Amino acid sequence: MGDEIGQHTAFYYNIKTGSVEREGESKAKDLLGPFATSEEAANALEIIRQREQRKSAEDREWRDG
């Protein structure tokens, strides 16, 4: 993600280092994101866990009627 003047504005969580990075600092295969803020990126694992729980519940509800 870039802004109007080409600056990198996205944040990513690096699964190898456990650190938050700006767009373009590491290989994409090591990153989760993009996130709008560094705080969101820092909480990437929790955010993903919550999304997975929600999706699993939706799948169970759909499957079970």
Side-chain angles (χ1 to χ4, degrees), residues 44-61:
L45 297 178
E46 179 62 21
I47 290 169
I48 291 168
R49 185 187 66 75
Q50 290 173 356
R51 287 178 185 167
E52 286 297 318
Q53 285 180 334
R54 186 177 68 246
K55 289 297 181 186
S56 292
E58 289 173 2
D59 287 347
R60 278 191 304 277
E61 184 178 322

Side-chain angles (χ1 to χ4, degrees), residues 13-33:
Y13 178 80
N14 186 314
I15 58 174
K16 276 189 155 178
T17 66
S19 62
V20 174
E21 301 180 1
R22 291 254 186 199
E23 183 177 5
E25 291 182 23
S26 293
K27 294 181 181 179
K29 69 181 183 99
D30 297 330
L31 303 176
L32 297 175

Side-chain angles (χ1 to χ4, degrees), residues 34-46:
F35 294 94
T37 67
S38 62
E39 292 80 19
E40 287 178 351
N43 293 310
L45 297 178
E46 179 62 21

